[in-house]
Each structure stands twice: as C-alpha cells, then as structure tokens.
Amino acid sequence: MIVDSWFTVQQIDCNTYAISEYGHWEKVHSFLLLGNQKAALIDTGLGIDNIKRITDQLTTLSIDVITTHVHTDHIGSHGEFERIFVHEDDKDWLVNGIKGLSIEQIRKDISRDITLPLPSNFNADTYQPFQGEPTDLLVDGDVIKLGDRKLIIYHTPGHSPGHICVLDEKNGYLFTGDLLYDETPIYAFYPSTNPSDLVNSLEKISDIPNISMIYGSHNTLGLEPIILKEVKRAVKFLRENELTKFGTGIHKFNGFSVQF
C-alpha cells in the first residue's frame, strides 16, 4: 500500500487503482488502469502535487492519459506525461485555455478549503492550468486497447463540449468523469455548459449494458449500477417538466443531483 502526503491510493482490483485527492474540497479521483501491454490514466488530478510520483510507483508500463474533460481539476499533471488524449470538442480548451473561467477564479478554487498540508512547491498565486497540444483526438465510439483490456469512449457533452465517459469493457467499469457522481450537484449552470446536452448524455449512459460499477470523478468512490435506473427516471422528469435549461436550479434525485 502506498502512503503519500497528498494522494490516497485505493486498489479497485489487481489492475485498477483510484488516485484520490481528499485534502481538497472537490475530492477528485483519477484512475490508473493497467493492461498487459500499456496503461491508461483517466485524468491527472488538480496539479497541486505531481500524480506521476504515484503512477511511477504503480507501473512501469507506458501510460496513455485519457482526459474526461478539460477542467482544471482533471488536467493538473498532464504536463508530466508524453501521450495525452482528449475529445476533439475540448481540444481548443486544452490548447488555448479553459473557456468561461478566469485565472483569478481558478486560483481561488484551487486553494480553498484545504485539509491536508500543501506541497512546499505549490503556490496558488502562480498556479497555471496545463495548456498544450494533445497526442491525438478522441471521438464517440473510439476504442483504446491496453492489450488484454479494451476501453470504449462515449462522447457525453453537457458539462463541457468534449466531455467523455470511458467503459472498461472487460470489467464493466464505467468511468463517468463529471457526468455522474453523488453528494454534490453535477454542474451545468455556467455559460460553457449545456443542460440539454447533459440530460441527453445521462440518458446515453443509462442505456449502456453490463455495467458492474460506476466511478465518478468526485466524492464517493464507486456507485452501484442500480443508480442508472434513477438516472432514467431523472431524464424523463427533467424533460417532461421542461427543466433542462439554465436557471432552473438544483434538481435532487435518489443518489445524485444536477444544477442548471
């Protein structure tokens, strides 16, 4: 077991790890998936500390970074890795900067409500989100092969234009990024989001068969797939009541909520 001052490493199975940042109010999870030929890292965290320090201890395989979406808390250590993949609709944000969030707001959010000692080299006043060219672009239906493990990409816009979910077909794990998690609302209330797209994306993942566990990027690590039945109900409710638009507020369901 890895003991670290900033990251918490939790083993999901013998070839899958959650790398979590519980010292930050967002409680961010990144995920390392090992195949017999290479590995995939789903997101790289906040960038408060260097997640590569952890992945180096877990594998010697080459790592493909799969970006669920280009927000600060998911691309923090992208600069530490050679191979970065992002959906084509979020490429502009990765290269030219995240739309709709000022650097002042980003720095404020990155440094508030910290409950663990910060790394000595972290300075919120000079914090800069990663910007750079991806290795390649992802589209809906792409398959990433790790050898004995196959990852299927689902384009699930709404929280960002190029948000994706990742299905580990072999194990039935669905990594949902910021499309589905519990405890705090799923956000689609700022100008760079799209409430209607987000609801369509929730419907899309609710129809994926043979899910064994859902792993969102925040809060509780691992949600039982029964929640997808509630997702279906939520989609129907939101549409029938014409709530899929900005300004309708927080909508609470059994196990999750959304904010438009």
Side-chain angles (χ1 to χ4, degrees), residues 78-222:
H78 269 38
E80 301 294 330
F81 298 90
E82 292 182 5
R83 291 172 54 79
I84 297 169
F85 297 83
V86 66
H87 189 274
E88 57 186 359
D89 291 348
D90 267 12
K91 178 190 175 183
D92 179 64
W93 292 12
L94 193 71
V95 175
N96 298 311
I98 302 163
K99 298 291 187 295
L101 283 172
S102 68
I103 188 62
E104 291 78 16
Q105 185 64 48
I106 286 170
R107 288 172 177 170
K108 181 180 178 183
D109 287 342
I110 203 75
S111 60
R112 72 177 175 90
D113 300 335
I114 302 291
T115 58
L116 286 175
L118 287 166
S120 59
N121 62 350
F122 174 75
N123 183 349
D125 294 334
T126 58
Y127 178 88
Q128 288 285 347
F130 172 84
Q131 286 180 234
E133 288 283 345
T135 305
D136 207 348
L137 300 179
L138 300 170
V139 298
D140 188 62
D142 272 352
V143 174
I144 296 173
K145 295 180 180 178
L146 308 180
D148 60 342
R149 205 167 181 179
K150 184 168 72 173
L151 309 180
I152 302 172
I153 304 301
Y154 287 84
H155 182 211
T156 51
H159 185 70
S160 78
H163 189 286
I164 62 168
C165 294
V166 182
L167 175 65
D168 174 6
E169 190 178 56
K170 180 179 180 180
N171 294 297
Y173 303 152
L174 182 65
F175 299 91
T176 54
D178 281 6
L179 176 62
L180 182 62
Y181 50 78
D182 69 353
E183 295 184 5
T184 54
I186 297 152
Y187 291 160
F189 63 84
Y190 35 84
S192 58
T193 64
N194 187 309
S196 179
D197 282 352
L198 186 125
V199 170
N200 290 341
S201 293
L202 285 170
E203 181 177 48
K204 183 174 185 173
I205 65 166
S206 75
D207 289 327
I208 299 173
N210 303 317
I211 303 300
S212 66
M213 191 64 78
I214 294 159
Y215 292 100
S217 290
H218 300 277
N219 304 326
T220 300
L221 179 65

Side-chain angles (χ1 to χ4, degrees), residues 7-10 17-21 28-32 41 45 51 54-55 58 221:
F7 296 101
T8 299
V9 179
Q10 297 165 91
Y17 298 86
I19 306 171
S20 306
E21 297 177 72
V28 179
H29 307 298
S30 304
F31 299 93
L32 181 67
L41 179 62
I51 203 171
I54 302 299
T55 61
L58 293 171
L221 179 65

